[in-house]
Amino acid sequence: MNILVINTGSSSLKYQLFDMRSEKILAKGNCERIGIDGYVKHEPSNGKPILKDEISMPSHSEALNIVIQTLTSEKYGVINSLKEIHAIGHRVVHGGKKFSSSVLIDDEVMKGIVDCAKLAPLHIPANLMGIYACQKTIPDVPHVAVFDTAFHLSIPNYAHVYPIPYKYYEKYDIRRYGFHGTSHRYVSSKAIEFLKDKPGGLRIVTCHLGNGASLAAISDGKSVDTTMGATPLEGLPMGTRSGTIDPALVYVISEIEGSLPLSETLEILNKKSGVLGISGVSSDFRDIMNMAEFDLDEDRAVGEVEDIKDVERARLALSAFKYQVAKFIGAYIVALGGVDAIVFTAGVGENSPPIRRGICEWLCGFGIYLDEDKNGHAENDKITDITKAGSSASVLVIPTNEELVIARDTMEIVKNIS
């Protein structure tokens, strides 16, 4: 069975095509700048050339048509026709209280997803565009929705309720939902497999650290708390998102900027804050780390950095990020009544030894230590145990695979309806 996984943003469409007999990726790619000038990157795994090209795609429908043409083309393709795509799995950011698991998409499900737009106005419209485009272009196969929020619906009410008038929960379902659920679910299950020799239910803190970042407290495979909230803006400082701040700052920023509209204030908090806002350098942690590592004692500043303050701000951004991650880990150790494993995953979590080291330095009070040599040699394609001997909890680096989770859920649902 071949399953196409689709992940749509407002101006992007990411995809992976899986052969589920072996769970091998046949091809993957991304259509970017949809509605602007258009750019596509397609990577087949069968030895055919990689496609990188600027192609006009005014809408997600045109982008999907380009994906299909590329997947089936003689030069770049990995299948002969659409008949070799047997189902499509869609990442949907928000499922509200209604969707606690992945579901086959029908009219009722579509209505439920539309209703969730009020909870995720920046994401659900894009997800819907992807579903509509796929249903139009590939109508004769099952479509499955896999929700970022579903994994976190096990969070107990005392952890998901907000201390605001209860009517907003009753009438409008405003509560903590959490996101990155497919990633937290995947890496926690891998950690449980890896630590199978440990007795009893495992207590794990998973750290999905990338441009978007969140932590989850997981007890015996179930999420009991997570840092993101009703929207992905809450929690850790991220690439461009502020994370948790004094909510009154929404009003304060609006006022000091001359009665800035609420939409523009939220734009600042979503797209101009986080480590970008603190550093002023970039939202990419690699850029910030390069700036932060600049040697202030060397007489090399002229021509290489415009202002030494840029270096100081880059270091401050990284320090603030590492501190907040460690602080939430500490809170989740309390929530779990202890911890058996800390798991690092996603772009920063998997690929940045200095970030992992800096976070774990804050955890020494809990008796948690990583091995510096193992930390520096974590492998990209498998689980790496970077725990130092004598540590009270395991420290693991586990590559995430959200697309595979979506493909597996899709296959399971399709098998059940066959």
Side-chain angles (χ1 to χ4, degrees):
M1 178 182 288
N2 293 337
I3 291 177
L4 180 63
V5 173
I6 297 291
N7 179 0
T8 50
S10 58
S11 61
S12 66
L13 188 155
K14 298 178 183 178
Y15 63 93
Q16 290 192 21
L17 181 64
F18 286 88
D19 178 349
M20 294 307 292
R21 292 173 299 181
S22 59
E23 296 189 340
K24 178 184 177 182
I25 298 173
L26 300 177
K28 63 181 179 179
N30 187 16
C31 296
E32 299 176 346
R33 299 178 65 79
I34 297 171
I36 310 173
D37 47 9
Y39 175 80
V40 63
K41 181 179 181 181
H42 170 82
E43 299 178 74
S45 63
N46 59 0
K48 290 186 177 180
I50 294 173
L51 169 65
K52 296 180 181 179
D53 199 6
E54 294 181 2
I55 303 175
S56 176
M57 41 187 114
S59 71
H60 286 74
S61 291
E62 281 89 356
L64 186 64
N65 284 331
I66 290 167
V67 171
I68 297 304
Q69 290 168 16
T70 308
L71 287 171
T72 58
S73 73
E74 184 175 343
K75 185 174 182 179
Y76 304 105
V78 295
I79 55 175
N80 295 315
S81 72
L82 283 180
K83 292 181 180 179
E84 293 181 46
I85 297 176
H86 304 110
I88 300 179
H90 298 267
R91 177 190 178 227
V92 180
V93 168
H94 214 306
K97 291 197 300 182
K98 183 178 178 66
F99 298 110
S100 59
S101 62
S102 303
V103 294
L104 184 71
I105 297 175
D106 57 20
D107 290 343
E108 183 180 351
V109 169
M110 287 298 287
K111 183 179 181 302
I113 296 173
V114 170
D115 289 342
C116 288
K118 67 180 183 292
L119 297 169
L122 298 176
H123 298 86
I124 290 296
N127 297 157
L128 287 168
M129 283 190 286
I131 296 172
Y132 289 136
C134 288
Q135 287 178 329
K136 179 181 177 182
T137 306
I138 315 175
D140 298 325
V141 301
H143 294 255
V144 171
V146 180
F147 300 92
D148 273 11
T149 51
F151 180 65
H152 298 300
L153 286 184
S154 55
I155 292 173
N157 57 4
Y158 58 79
H160 75 232
V161 68
Y162 282 121
I164 58 177
Y166 198 67
K167 66 179 182 181
Y168 295 113
Y169 173 71
E170 293 180 304
K171 289 184 177 182
Y172 307 110
D173 297 336
I174 295 176
R175 50 158 281 180
R176 180 180 309 282
Y177 285 100
F179 300 87
H180 296 139
T182 50
S183 178
H184 290 296
R185 174 179 152 199
Y186 178 81
V187 298
S188 61
S189 68
K190 286 294 183 182
I192 291 169
E193 289 176 16
F194 186 81
L195 299 170
K196 59 185 176 182
D197 57 327
K198 288 200 172 185
L202 290 175
R203 302 160 299 179
I204 302 170
V205 179
T206 50
C207 307
H208 179 105
L209 307 180
N211 193 268
S214 67
L215 270 57
I218 298 171
S219 179
D220 200 18
K222 292 186 177 180
S223 176
V224 297
D225 207 346
T226 189
T227 53
M228 285 181 169
T231 77
L233 186 58
E234 189 179 357
L236 300 170
M238 304 173 222
T240 64
R241 297 178 191 143
S242 66
T244 298
I245 59 169
D246 181 343
L249 284 178
V250 175
Y251 172 79
V252 171
I253 292 171
S254 174
E255 287 299 299
I256 61 179
E257 291 287 355
S259 298
L260 200 66
L262 177 60
S263 60
E264 292 186 33
T265 305
L266 289 175
E267 178 88 358
I268 291 170
L269 298 179
N270 272 293
K271 297 186 177 181
K272 299 178 181 179
S273 298
V275 294
L276 169 63
I278 297 174
S279 71
V281 172
S282 174
S283 63
D284 191 313
F285 280 82
R286 292 168 295 188
D287 296 337
I288 298 171
M289 291 177 69
N290 285 337
M291 178 64 75
E293 290 169 2
F294 190 84
D295 191 345
L296 295 178
D297 296 326
E298 292 284 338
D299 187 21
R300 297 186 291 118
V302 177
E304 295 195 31
V305 292
E306 293 183 6
D307 194 331
I308 295 302
K309 290 182 179 179
D310 292 341
V311 178
E312 295 169 348
R313 284 176 56 183
R315 291 178 177 178
L316 177 60
L318 293 175
S319 295
F321 177 76
K322 290 181 285 188
Y323 170 72
Q324 290 294 333
V325 174
K327 184 173 76 171
F328 275 111
I329 291 174
Y332 286 170
I333 292 173
V334 172
L336 291 166
V339 67
D340 298 299
I342 309 294
V343 175
F344 290 101
T345 194
V348 176
E350 293 172 29
N351 298 301
S352 179
I355 294 287
R356 295 193 296 262
R357 180 182 65 244
I359 292 167
C360 288
E361 285 173 352
W362 285 98
L363 304 178
C364 295
F366 294 102
I368 298 171
Y369 305 96
L370 58 72
D371 183 289
E372 191 57 50
D373 183 62
K374 293 177 182 176
N375 182 47
H377 294 89
E379 299 186 44
N380 291 330
D381 59 348
K382 67 179 185 179
I383 297 175
T384 306
D385 187 339
I386 60 172
T387 314
K388 185 175 182 178
S391 176
S392 63
S394 297
V395 185
L396 308 175
V397 181
I398 303 181
T400 192
N401 198 331
E402 297 171 85
E403 290 78 12
L404 180 58
V405 172
I406 295 170
R408 285 174 174 172
D409 278 12
T410 300
M411 183 177 72
E412 198 62 33
I413 288 171
V414 170
K415 281 169 53 180
N416 291 335
I417 65 172
S418 299

